[in-house]
Amino acid sequence: MRKKLVVTFMMILLAFVGLSYRLFAITRDDGERYKKQILSQQRYDGTTIPYKRGSILDANGNILASSEKVYNVILDSVAVLEKEEYLEPTLNALQSEFGLDTGKIRNYIAENGETSRYYVLAKRLEYEQIEGFVALQSEEESLVKGVWFEDEYKRTYPGGTLACDVIGFTTTDNVGSYGLEEYYNDVLSGTAGREYGYLNNDSNLERTTIAPEDGNSIVSTIDINIQSIVEKYLKKHDEEYRDNAHEGNGANNIGCIIMDVNSGEVLAMAGYPVFDLNDVRNTEALKGMRLLDAEGKKTEPAEYINDENLSALKNDDAAMYQNLNALWKNFCINDTYEPGSVSKPFTVAAGIESGSITGNESYNCEGSLTVVSGDKPIKCHNTWGDGNLTVAQGIERSCNVNMMYIAQAMGAGTFAKFQHIFNLGLKTNIDLAGEARTAGLIYEADKMRAAELATCSFGQGYNCTMIQMIAGFCSLINGGYYYEPHMVKKIISPSGATVQNIEPRLLKQTISESTSAKVREMCNLVVSGEKGTGKTARPAGYMIGGKTGTAETLPRGNREYVVSFLGYAPVDNPEIAIYVVVDRPNVPGNIMDDAKFATRIVRNILTEVLPYKGIFMTEELSDKEIEELEALRIEIMTPPVSGDGENPDGEEDGDGGEGTGEGEGTGNGEGNGGSEGDEAGGGDTEGGKEGDAEGGTSPTPTREVWKDFPIDPATGYAVDPESGAFVDPVTGAVLGGSYEDGVSSPTPSGEGGEDGEGAVPSASPAA
C-alpha cells in the first residue's frame, strides 16, 4: 500500500514539474502573443464623441444654419439595480421630469437589468429639458442613479423657410441633402471623437480619449436682407393669385435670382413654394402644388394637392417621395424650360460680335416671315406687323421677325457657336447640389435647319436653366466678362480663422465691351422706350434695363405660359442683375401670356433692394411713388449735387417718365414662332398705357387696326370683334389665343427626367 502511495505521489510530482516547465516555456517563448490575445478578448468600454457640424452664414455673418448640442437620455439598468432603494426614486424622477412611461421602463429593467448598460429612453432633448433631472441627480445623498446623458448635435435653421432651396438640410445621420448642405458636406462635416478603455492587468479600467474635430463653416454670398425682400414678394404673388383660375398655388413655380454682375456672386436665390428647414417632411407645405404620381409624372388631367388627395398620398410612399422631392429641389438651377424672348439680346449680341450685322440695320415686319419656301410662315407677336424696325426697336418691341432676319445673317454655325460661348447647353458649375444638365437640349449646328434657326433666335426650341440665363446675361451687360456663378465666398475654421477665400472666377470674355455697350442701350429701351415691353418693371425712383419673355409650354396650343423678366440696375452702370420666372401663373381667365406677372415682382423687389444697396435714385418720383416709399419706410436716395448743379455723372435723368402703372392697360407683346414652318403666337405683354417714356424711338406702324378695338373693362385688354380674342391694346399681340394651326417645334432629345437632369419637361415652355 505504501509503495502504491509513493508511486502515485511521484507521478503527480512529475506531472506538476512537467506542467510547470511547460508553463514557463510558454511564458518565455509566446507570453507576449498570448497576452495580446487575452486582452483582445476582454470587454472594451467605449463611446463615440460627436463632432459639431460647421455653420452656414450669410454674407454679413448672420447664421443661416448651425448645430446645437442636444442630449439623449440613457439608462444603465445594472447601475439602477446595484441597490434596491435606487429603483423607485429613479423611475419617479424619469416620470416627473420627462413624462416617460415607468411601467415600460420597469419591465425592461426586469428583463434586461443584469446585463443592459445602454438603453435610450429619449432623444435630442434641449438642455432646458434635462436640467431639472440633472439637479435631482446631483443632490447630496440622491437615490436617483443609473441615468446619464449622451451628447449629440441637432441642425437648426433660424430662418425656417428662408433660403430653403439654397441651404438644403441634413438627414438624421448628419449628412447634407440638397443645396449648400450637400455640396459642401465634406467641408461642413468634422471627425467624430472616441472615448474608450479596457481592463488592465490589475483589472483597473484604463481610458483614452480622442477629441472630435469640428467641421469648418462657410460664408455664403447670400445677403439675408435681400433674400428676405425677394421671398416676401414671391409670397405676395402667391397670396394674390392662389386658388384663382384653378385651386392651387399662385403659379406652378416662381423663381428669382439676384446676382452681382461683376463677380458672379449670387445675392439672393429663391423659389416658391417653400418648406421649413426645421420640419422638411411637413406635408402641409405640399398643398397647392401640382400632384405627381409614384413615377414623378404630373397627373392628367391636372390635379393639385389638397386635403383630400394629401390623405391618400400619405398611404403611397413612392408618390409621397416624388412630391416631397419636387418641393425640396431648387427651381432656379434644377428645372429646364425654353427661355422665350429674354434670349433676344443674346441673338443680337452674337450677330454684332460675329460681324454678321452692325446693329444699325432695319428689318420690315409684316406680322410673319416665311423661312422655308412652301411652309407656313412663322408669326410675330403682332400678327398685323410692326413695320420697319431697327435692331434696337426689335429688342424694344420684342419683334420675332427682326430676330429671324438676324439669325439668317449669322447662319446656323455662328448661332450655335455663340450659344456655347454664352454657356447655353453647359453647366455653370454653381456650387449648389442639383444643377441640371442641358447638353442635349440645344441644337448643334449640323442639326439646326432653317426653321430651327429661326425659332431658336427668339428663344424657342431649346431649353436652359435660370442660372444659365442670368450668368450669360451678366456677361452681355458688364463688358463681356463671364464669371462663374457662386454661392460661397469664404471657408472658416471652428476658431474663426480663414481657411480659404473663394475669389470671383472669370472664365472668359463672351463679347467685346463695345458690343456690350450696344446691347445695354437696346435693353434700356425695353423699360424706357415708348413701345418698350418692360415698363412695369421700373422701380420707384430708378431706371433699369432688361428684357421680357413669354414662353408657351408643351403641348403647343395649351394656352399655358411661362413669363419672365431678365434685367439689371442701375441703367447707366449695372451692379446687379435680376431674373424672375413665373411658371404658369394662376390668373383670372387663365390668360397667362402677360409678362407683367413677372415685371411687377421685379419692380417690387428692386424698389426695396436698390435703396438698401445704397444706389442713388435718378428718376423723378410721382406722388403715388412717394407714398409707396413712405409706406415701406424707404429713404429717398437722391445723389449729391455737384458744384455746378448737375448730376455728378454728367447725364440727364428722366428716361422713361412714369411708365410704371401696374394694371392700367397693357404694354407690348411678343410672340412665339413655330418650327418646321408651323405657326406660333403668344404675348410678352406688359402693363402701362400711362407714362410713355422719353428717349424711346417709335417704329413705323403698318396696320394698327387693334387701336380701334373695344376695351374689356374687366381685364384692360382690347377685344378683337371678329375672333373675340384678347389683344394687347398697345402692340396688338394676341393674348391667350387659340393656336389651332399648332406649334410642334421640336426640341433636342433630353437626358433624363423633369427632376432637372437636363430633360425637356413634360410641359416644357416654348418661346
Side-chain angles (χ1 to χ4, degrees):
M1 188 67 179
R2 278 183 152 183
K3 289 182 179 180
K4 290 181 179 180
L5 289 174
V6 171
V7 171
T8 301
F9 176 76
M10 292 301 294
M11 292 176 65
I12 293 172
L13 183 60
L14 289 171
F16 180 75
V17 172
L19 288 173
S20 298
Y21 177 77
R22 180 59 181 157
L23 181 60
F24 170 76
I26 289 173
T27 303
R28 181 193 61 193
D29 299 333
D30 298 305
E32 193 62 30
R33 179 168 64 88
Y34 283 113
K35 179 180 179 181
K36 291 179 180 179
Q37 184 174 337
I38 291 169
L39 289 175
S40 69
Q41 293 170 350
Q42 291 186 7
R43 177 180 171 274
Y44 279 76
D45 179 83
T47 57
T48 299
I49 305 174
Y51 65 83
K52 183 177 182 181
R53 187 176 177 88
S55 298
I56 300 176
L57 309 175
D58 89 326
N60 303 313
N62 299 300
I63 295 176
L64 300 176
S66 64
S67 294
E68 295 182 358
K69 185 173 284 189
V70 290
Y71 304 88
N72 299 330
V73 184
I74 310 300
L75 175 68
D76 183 342
S77 299
V78 175
V80 174
L81 293 178
E82 282 184 2
K83 291 185 180 181
E84 185 177 343
E85 59 263 32
Y86 293 164
L87 180 60
E88 293 304 323
T90 301
L91 292 177
N92 291 337
L94 289 171
Q95 196 281 327
S96 63
E97 295 298 326
F98 304 127
L100 298 174
D101 185 348
T102 56
K104 181 180 178 181
I105 300 172
R106 192 187 302 275
N107 291 336
Y108 180 84
I109 292 174
E111 295 174 4
N112 306 280
E114 295 182 359
T115 58
S116 174
R117 308 207 72 146
Y118 185 91
Y119 178 59
V120 181
L121 297 175
K123 299 188 73 173
R124 296 195 163 196
L125 301 183
E126 307 286 345
Y127 181 75
E128 292 75 13
Q129 296 174 278
I130 71 167
E131 61 179 344
F133 188 93
V134 172
L136 286 174
Q137 201 172 34
S138 302
E139 290 178 357
E140 190 174 350
E141 298 182 358
S142 173
L143 298 178
V144 178
K145 304 291 183 182
V147 177
W148 56 283
F149 299 96
E150 179 181 59
D151 293 351
E152 193 176 331
Y153 286 97
K154 179 178 72 173
R155 201 67 166 163
T156 61
Y157 303 92
T161 61
L162 185 69
C164 56
D165 292 335
V166 171
I167 298 171
F169 53 91
T170 58
T171 60
T172 54
D173 54 354
N174 217 21
V175 176
S177 291
Y178 299 89
L180 294 172
E181 291 277 28
E182 180 176 337
Y183 191 93
Y184 285 96
N185 186 65
D186 291 343
V187 173
L188 296 166
S189 296
T191 304
R194 179 111 180 139
E195 184 181 51
Y196 61 94
Y198 60 88
L199 297 175
N200 62 18
N201 292 338
D202 298 324
S203 295
N204 295 320
L205 184 64
E206 293 187 353
R207 291 188 177 276
T208 300
T209 300
I210 299 176
E213 295 180 10
D214 294 338
N216 291 325
S217 296
I218 57 177
V219 179
S220 73
T221 60
I222 291 292
D223 186 315
I224 197 173
N225 297 305
I226 298 177
Q227 183 77 22
S228 298
I229 293 168
V230 168
E231 294 193 16
K232 176 174 71 173
Y233 287 110
L234 297 191
K235 183 179 181 181
K236 180 182 178 182
H237 175 94
D238 179 74
E239 291 172 345
E240 184 175 354
Y241 294 105
R242 174 180 284 269
D243 298 326
N244 206 318
H246 57 77
E247 70 169 344
N249 294 334
N252 280 12
N253 289 286
I254 312 175
C256 176
I257 303 174
I258 297 181
M259 182 181 288
D260 186 321
V261 302
N262 297 309
S263 69
E265 291 187 355
V266 177
L267 307 181
M269 178 185 287
Y272 199 91
V274 296
F275 58 95
D276 189 344
L277 291 170
N278 297 303
D279 189 12
V280 297
R281 293 189 176 274
N282 188 333
T283 55
E284 290 296 305
L286 295 172
K287 290 182 180 178
M289 291 179 56
R290 182 76 180 270
L291 181 64
L292 305 179
D293 61 20
E295 296 179 355
K297 297 179 180 179
K298 294 175 181 176
T299 56
E300 295 294 347
E303 189 175 357
Y304 294 83
I305 299 176
N306 52 32
D307 288 325
E308 183 179 349
N309 53 33
L310 183 58
S311 298
L313 195 61
K314 291 177 180 178
N315 297 320
D316 188 340
D317 291 341
M320 177 60 79
Y321 171 77
Q322 294 291 352
N323 284 276
L324 284 173
N325 181 65
L327 175 67
W328 296 334
K329 70 181 182 179
N330 187 339
F331 176 75
C332 296
I333 67 168
N334 192 260
D335 281 40
T336 63
Y337 58 93
E338 290 174 301
S341 291
V342 293
S343 68
K344 288 176 179 176
F346 291 84
T347 299
V348 171
I352 296 174
E353 187 67 20
S354 65
S356 303
I357 63 171
T358 64
N360 300 317
E361 292 82 359
S362 296
Y363 303 102
N364 186 44
C365 173
E366 297 181 350
S368 64
L369 181 66
T370 300
V371 295
V372 178
S373 179
D375 285 351
K376 293 179 181 179
I378 299 175
K379 289 182 179 179
C380 190
H381 73 289
N382 176 8
T383 56
W384 289 278
D386 283 317
N388 195 50
L389 300 178
T390 65
V391 175
Q393 291 169 341
I395 291 291
E396 177 188 354
R397 300 200 64 170
S398 200
C399 177
N400 290 353
V401 171
N402 203 297
M403 297 302 115
M404 288 188 275
Y405 278 123
I406 294 172
Q408 287 178 353
M410 279 191 283
T414 300
F415 185 88
K417 171 187 172 183
F418 272 89
Q419 279 199 308
H420 284 293
I421 289 174
F422 296 136
N423 228 56
L424 298 173
L426 304 172
K427 278 190 173 184
T428 66
N429 289 325
I430 187 172
D431 47 345
L432 284 174
E435 183 181 6
R437 294 195 307 266
T438 59
L441 303 179
I442 66 170
Y443 284 105
E444 297 299 330
D446 59 348
K447 296 181 180 179
M448 187 181 292
R449 296 168 296 180
E452 284 80 39
L453 174 61
T455 54
C456 284
S457 71
F458 51 84
Q460 179 173 313
Y462 71 90
N463 277 34
C464 66
T465 61
M466 283 187 68
I467 193 64
Q468 283 178 331
M469 288 302 293
I470 192 171
F473 187 72
C474 284
S475 77
L476 295 188
I477 61 172
N478 69 4
Y481 303 102
Y482 187 98
Y483 288 91
E484 183 177 74
H486 63 282
M487 303 292 307
V488 171
K489 60 182 182 180
K490 186 187 293 186
I491 298 173
I492 57 178
S493 70
S495 65
T498 298
V499 175
Q500 179 184 358
N501 281 315
I502 301 175
E503 302 294 339
R505 187 180 178 194
L506 177 61
L507 298 183
K508 55 188 170 182
Q509 186 163 8
T510 58
I511 57 176
S512 66
E513 293 191 4
S514 60
T515 300
S516 175
K518 291 180 180 179
V519 171
R520 283 199 306 273
E521 290 175 5
M522 296 177 189
C523 288
N524 293 349
L525 294 175
V526 173
V527 179
S528 66
E530 180 184 359
K531 300 294 184 178
T533 62
K535 289 183 179 182
T536 53
R538 186 179 78 78
Y542 297 90
M543 183 52 66
I544 66 171
K547 185 69 191 76
T548 50
T550 300
E552 186 183 14
T553 65
L554 292 173
R556 308 298 191 213
N558 63 9
R559 306 187 190 185
E560 295 185 356
Y561 295 85
V562 174
V563 294
S564 58
F565 183 82
L566 179 53
Y568 54 88
V571 72
D572 54 346
N573 185 25
E575 294 183 26
I576 62 172
I578 182 171
Y579 189 21
V580 170
V581 173
V582 183
D583 175 13
R584 281 158 280 201
N586 188 359
V587 293
N590 228 25
I591 303 174
M592 304 179 188
D593 50 336
D594 192 336
K596 72 173 176 288
F597 299 119
T599 57
R600 284 174 174 172
I601 296 174
V602 171
R603 180 188 187 276
N604 288 334
I605 290 172
L606 292 184
T607 293
E608 294 194 41
V609 167
L610 295 179
Y612 168 75
K613 292 282 290 179
I615 297 173
F616 293 125
M617 295 179 178
T618 58
E619 308 304 302
E620 183 177 350
L621 292 167
S622 66
D623 292 340
K624 181 179 178 181
E625 289 174 334
I626 292 173
E627 291 177 4
E628 175 188 1
L629 296 178
E630 289 176 348
L632 294 170
R633 297 183 180 180
I634 295 175
E635 179 184 357
I636 297 176
M637 302 288 294
T638 56
V641 179
S642 60
D644 57 6
E646 296 179 354
N647 187 301
D649 295 330
E651 298 179 2
E652 293 182 0
D653 296 336
D655 256 21
E658 299 178 8
T660 59
E662 294 181 8
E664 298 188 28
T666 55
N668 287 4
E670 78 188 67
N672 306 310
S675 170
E676 299 298 334
D678 290 333
E679 294 180 356
D684 197 40
T685 62
E686 270 275 320
K689 265 189 174 181
E690 63 170 319
D692 283 347
E694 297 178 2
T697 54
S698 301
T700 303
T702 51
R703 298 176 297 275
E704 295 186 341
V705 295
W706 67 89
K707 294 287 189 180
D708 298 324
F709 290 171
I711 301 296
D712 175 38
T715 62
Y717 299 133
V719 180
D720 187 337
E722 294 185 5
S723 66
F726 287 117
V727 178
D728 183 288
V730 177
T731 65
V734 178
L735 302 175
S738 175
Y739 308 109
E740 287 80 14
D741 291 325
V743 181
S744 55
S745 144
T747 52
S749 58
E751 302 175 342
E754 197 181 8
D755 62 354
E757 283 303 310
V760 179
S762 58
S764 173

Coordinates of all heavy atoms in Angstrom, one line a residue, residues 91 224 234 304 317 345 404 453 475 493 496 574 701:
L91 N -37.2 55.9 -11.2 CA -38.4 55.8 -12.0 C -39.2 57.0 -11.8 O -39.8 57.6 -12.8 CB -39.1 54.5 -11.7 CG -38.5 53.2 -12.1 CD1 -39.4 52.0 -11.7 CD2 -38.3 53.2 -13.6
I224 N -28.9 88.2 -46.4 CA -30.2 87.8 -45.8 C -31.3 88.9 -46.0 O -32.5 88.5 -46.1 CB -30.0 87.5 -44.3 CG1 -31.1 86.7 -43.7 CG2 -29.7 88.7 -43.5 CD1 -30.9 86.1 -42.3
L234 N -42.3 87.1 -53.6 CA -42.8 85.8 -54.2 C -44.0 85.3 -53.5 O -45.0 84.8 -54.1 CB -41.7 84.8 -54.2 CG -40.4 85.1 -55.0 CD1 -39.5 83.9 -55.1 CD2 -40.7 85.6 -56.4
Y304 N -54.2 69.2 -58.3 CA -53.4 70.0 -57.3 C -53.6 69.4 -55.9 O -54.7 69.0 -55.6 CB -53.7 71.5 -57.4 CG -53.3 72.1 -58.7 CD1 -54.1 72.0 -59.8 CD2 -52.0 72.7 -58.8 CE1 -53.7 72.5 -61.0 CE2 -51.6 73.2 -60.1 CZ -52.5 73.1 -61.1 OH -52.1 73.6 -62.4
D317 N -46.0 55.6 -50.3 CA -44.6 56.1 -50.0 C -43.9 56.6 -51.2 O -43.2 57.6 -51.2 CB -43.8 55.0 -49.3 CG -44.3 54.7 -47.9 OD1 -45.0 55.5 -47.4 OD2 -44.0 53.6 -47.4
P345 N -31.6 89.4 -76.6 CA -30.3 90.2 -76.5 C -29.1 89.3 -76.8 O -28.1 89.8 -77.4 CB -30.3 90.6 -75.1 CG -31.8 90.7 -74.7 CD -32.4 89.6 -75.4
M404 N -35.4 86.8 -86.5 CA -35.2 85.8 -87.5 C -34.3 86.2 -88.6 O -33.4 85.5 -89.2 CB -36.5 85.3 -88.0 CG -37.3 84.5 -87.1 SD -38.8 83.7 -87.8 CE -40.0 85.1 -87.5
L453 N -33.3 77.3 -86.7 CA -32.5 78.5 -86.5 C -33.4 79.7 -86.3 O -33.2 80.6 -85.4 CB -31.7 78.8 -87.8 CG -30.8 80.1 -87.8 CD1 -29.9 80.1 -86.6 CD2 -30.1 80.2 -89.1
S475 N -22.8 88.7 -68.6 CA -21.7 89.0 -69.5 C -22.1 89.9 -70.6 O -21.2 90.6 -71.2 CB -21.1 87.7 -70.0 OG -21.9 87.1 -71.1
S493 N -12.5 78.2 -40.2 CA -12.3 77.1 -39.3 C -13.2 77.3 -38.0 O -13.8 78.4 -37.8 CB -10.8 77.1 -38.8 OG -10.6 78.2 -38.0
G496 N -12.6 80.4 -36.2 CA -12.9 81.6 -36.9 C -11.8 82.1 -37.8 O -12.0 83.1 -38.5
P574 N -24.5 99.1 -64.6 CA -25.1 97.9 -63.9 C -24.3 97.3 -62.8 O -23.1 97.1 -62.9 CB -25.3 96.9 -65.0 CG -25.3 97.8 -66.3 CD -24.4 98.9 -66.0
P701 N -45.4 102.4 -88.0 CA -46.5 101.4 -88.0 C -47.0 101.0 -89.3 O -46.8 101.7 -90.3 CB -47.6 102.2 -87.2 CG -47.3 103.6 -87.5 CD -45.8 103.7 -87.7

